[in-house]
Amino acid sequence: MKRETWKSQFGFVFAAIGSAVGLANIWRFPYLVGKNGGAAFVFLYLMCLLVIGLPTFLAEVTLGRKAKRNPAGTFRKIGGKGWGWMGAIMVLTALIVSSFYSVVAGWILGYCVQGFKGVLHTFETIEQPVHLFQNLTSSASWSLSYHFIFLLLCVLFLMGGVRKGIERGSVILMPLLFVILCFLVIKGLFLPNSEKGLDFLFSPDWSVITPSVFLLALGQAFFTLSIGQGTMITYGSYLSQKSHLPKSSFPIILGDTLVSLLGAIAIFTIAFSVNIEPTSGEGLLFQTLPVVFSQLPGGYFLAVGFFVLVFLAAITSEISALEVVISYLIDEWKFKRKAAVLLSALVAFALGVPSALAFGSLGDISIFGYNLLGCADYLATNILIPLGGLFAVLLFAWKWGVPKALSHMRLGAEGLFDRHRWFRFYLIVSIKFIAPLIIILIFLQAIGVF
Ligand code: PHE
């Protein structure tokens, strides 16, 4: 069977931005910044992107373009038989991510419906949205139905294939996301007290920067770029040999960072306009913001706009996580695309059931202090994803070898490599030495070695 390809490099950029921009940008980034030193954290995060994020991202896309396979096949083809299991772990990570991610994204979809119904801007006390959240998420039927409907929507896109489903969907949905985001930012900036929100967000507090904050910044950089779990290997495998890898990676990383920053500006200016400090962690989206929307003129549109925005961000990310599993089933087990889509969505649904019940009937189960959803999240974000990133840079720099790997990356990007010699040096130092070393450190920290 002939492997599918992107219609254009531009389409790849949009699909990859769709994957990168997700819950992590709008749900996680703002409160990480708010809690961990404002601009100091932003600075640290940008450094992590530059020193490890971008090089690892490029390494994954290059591996995929070279092998033209799913992650397991890529590792086997480039590294030999003994390396295949590492790629298989990445596929498994993608499956775990797609299972719990779809549960949270399902809640977002459910909240879009609540927003349309006019429920999310009519709260009179701070407790009301908390109760709503508890009532909804503890209901097995609500949580499971939206988990299912969300996956079904992903299936509709994925059935269309790489060009007509993923690429076309991203090219339409991403600009829409950007328009809604700009609308929210402008609205936020024109509200009273917006300067307080900006101040809180951007004034640096270096005293809170500790090694664990550094690790948070690094984990965020990995998760938000969708690296470490095979997505970028898979998306890279649909690229033509003529594509310019660095040139298509820069806008992806810039676009992702821009959305994180704009999302944070929107959330902080809107929240500070009614004097609510949005440092309430994961409750931010479902509990804090609805109180804010209730106190602002045009709250209905803000609530709807906000949740639709997050929904758009989440669906293109979920699609990219499932595509890893789909490409694995097609390449390794000779599935037809339709069957592969259905099977991977079904397994993601089943694996997500414990997470969907984690706030209800399975709420009493706690593992290392996390409920089942938190546990899946922790396992994927803090352990499996850094591990996958480590596998990718090791394969790239230590097994395939820097000279061969970079000469493949250079194809299509000869001008850049020849004109800017430092670029080669930067890649070698970061992919071969800095990235593996720092990822090993995060990993050891995550499993509690220090
Ligand atoms: N990058 C996505 C986000 O920021 C998360 C994600 C990770 C999606 C891995 C797919 C694969 O939310």
Side-chain angles (χ1 to χ4, degrees):
M1 218 177 345
K2 205 169 161 291
R3 192 172 190 76
E4 290 188 87
T5 54
W6 304 111
K7 195 164 159 215
S8 66
Q9 190 166 307
F10 175 81
F12 161 71
V13 171
F14 268 80
I17 292 183
S19 168
V21 169
L23 295 175
N25 300 63
I26 299 164
W27 189 29
R28 217 152 155 249
F29 185 77
Y31 85 84
L32 280 181
V33 176
K35 268 189 182 163
N36 297 297
F41 183 86
V42 174
F43 176 77
L44 206 64
Y45 169 75
L46 293 177
M47 291 310 293
C48 289
L49 280 183
L50 207 67
V51 178
I52 310 181
L54 173 65
T56 311
F57 183 94
L58 265 171
E60 286 201 14
V61 179
T62 310
L63 287 169
R65 187 182 72 169
K66 168 73 183 169
K68 300 250 167 296
R69 306 261 166 92
N70 71 93
T74 295
F75 271 72
R76 215 177 331 100
K77 185 162 174 189
I78 296 180
K81 273 217 175 84
W83 287 68
W85 62 273
M86 299 185 193
I89 288 192
M90 289 172 113
V91 177
L92 184 70
T93 309
L95 191 60
I96 296 176
V97 169
S98 55
S99 71
F100 74 82
Y101 202 83
S102 157
V103 170
V104 181
W107 295 348
I108 303 276
L109 182 58
Y111 264 67
C112 287
V113 174
Q114 299 287 330
F116 278 115
K117 282 206 247 154
V119 176
L120 297 182
H121 66 291
T122 51
F123 297 114
E124 275 154 22
T125 65
I126 296 182
E127 290 78 34
Q128 282 173 338
V130 177
H131 286 150
L132 177 73
F133 180 71
Q134 283 166 350
N135 284 343
L136 293 176
T137 53
S138 64
S139 149
S141 59
W142 187 82
S143 212
L144 286 174
S145 324
Y146 279 109
H147 173 41
F148 184 80
I149 298 171
F150 181 76
L151 276 170
L152 200 63
L153 293 174
C154 294
V155 164
L156 294 181
F157 278 99
L158 286 162
M159 284 289 189
V162 174
R163 284 191 183 191
K164 293 205 181 114
I166 305 177
E167 182 168 347
R168 196 187 280 169
S170 309
V171 169
I172 298 171
L173 298 183
M174 282 302 106
L176 184 62
L177 173 140
F178 199 69
V179 170
I180 300 178
L181 184 59
C182 287
F183 161 78
L184 291 172
V185 169
I186 294 170
K187 170 85 186 163
L189 288 176
F190 280 101
L191 287 172
N193 291 332
S194 63
E195 67 290 345
K196 270 204 217 156
L198 293 177
D199 220 37
F200 181 76
L201 183 58
F202 289 119
S203 50
D205 176 2
W206 297 99
S207 65
V208 297
I209 300 296
T210 57
S212 59
V213 171
F214 174 70
L215 295 178
L216 272 179
L218 200 62
Q220 171 71 7
F222 259 67
F223 191 66
T224 191
L225 292 182
S226 306
I227 47 187
Q229 48 96 58
T231 289
M232 291 306 159
I233 296 184
T234 309
Y235 275 17
S237 76
Y238 302 136
L239 273 170
S240 87
Q241 301 295 14
K242 283 186 284 201
S243 49
H244 192 308
L245 295 180
K247 209 164 152 188
S248 41
S249 302
F250 300 144
I252 296 167
I253 291 171
L254 283 178
D256 181 65
T257 308
L258 187 69
V259 171
S260 288
L261 290 174
L262 290 178
I265 292 175
I267 289 174
F268 282 84
T269 50
I270 291 174
F272 269 89
S273 70
V274 292
N275 283 323
I276 290 184
E277 195 176 285
T279 48
S280 55
E282 287 87 344
L284 170 76
L285 220 61
F286 300 106
Q287 296 166 10
T288 313
L289 288 181
V291 179
V292 178
F293 299 146
S294 306
Q295 297 180 31
L296 288 174
Y300 179 85
F301 294 101
L302 280 176
V304 169
F306 199 82
F307 281 99
V308 170
L309 168 82
V310 186
F311 167 73
L312 293 176
I315 190 163
T316 43
S317 297
E318 174 76 10
I319 284 173
S320 76
L322 284 171
E323 181 63 21
V324 176
V325 186
I326 294 165
S327 74
Y328 171 77
L329 291 174
I330 294 177
D331 292 349
E332 306 288 317
W333 300 96
K334 307 291 167 242
F335 270 64
K336 292 253 179 323
R337 182 165 189 97
K338 286 205 166 108
V341 170
L342 287 178
L343 181 64
S344 54
L346 254 164
V347 177
F349 177 77
L351 266 184
V353 170
S355 294
L357 302 179
F359 285 70
S361 50
L362 301 182
D364 293 336
I365 302 179
S366 136
I367 305 172
F368 297 121
Y370 291 100
N371 68 20
L372 289 169
L373 174 67
C375 203
D377 183 6
Y378 186 88
L379 178 69
T381 346
N382 294 336
I383 299 180
L384 293 172
I385 287 183
L387 200 62
L390 179 64
F391 292 158
V393 288
L394 290 182
L395 176 67
F396 185 94
W398 292 91
K399 176 71 188 166
W400 190 11
V402 167
K404 278 197 216 147
L406 287 190
S407 62
H408 181 79
M409 194 194 286
R410 185 171 168 274
L411 294 179
E414 291 80 2
L416 172 72
F417 274 86
D418 296 345
R419 253 180 282 121
H420 300 282
R421 309 295 306 233
W422 59 268
F423 187 65
R424 203 181 171 85
F425 177 73
Y426 154 74
L427 287 178
I428 298 175
V429 173
S430 51
I431 303 183
K432 191 157 183 181
F433 302 105
I434 302 182
L437 199 76
I438 295 191
I439 299 170
I440 290 174
L441 287 181
I442 329 181
F443 186 66
L444 293 179
Q445 203 260 358
I447 58 174
V449 173
F450 53 81

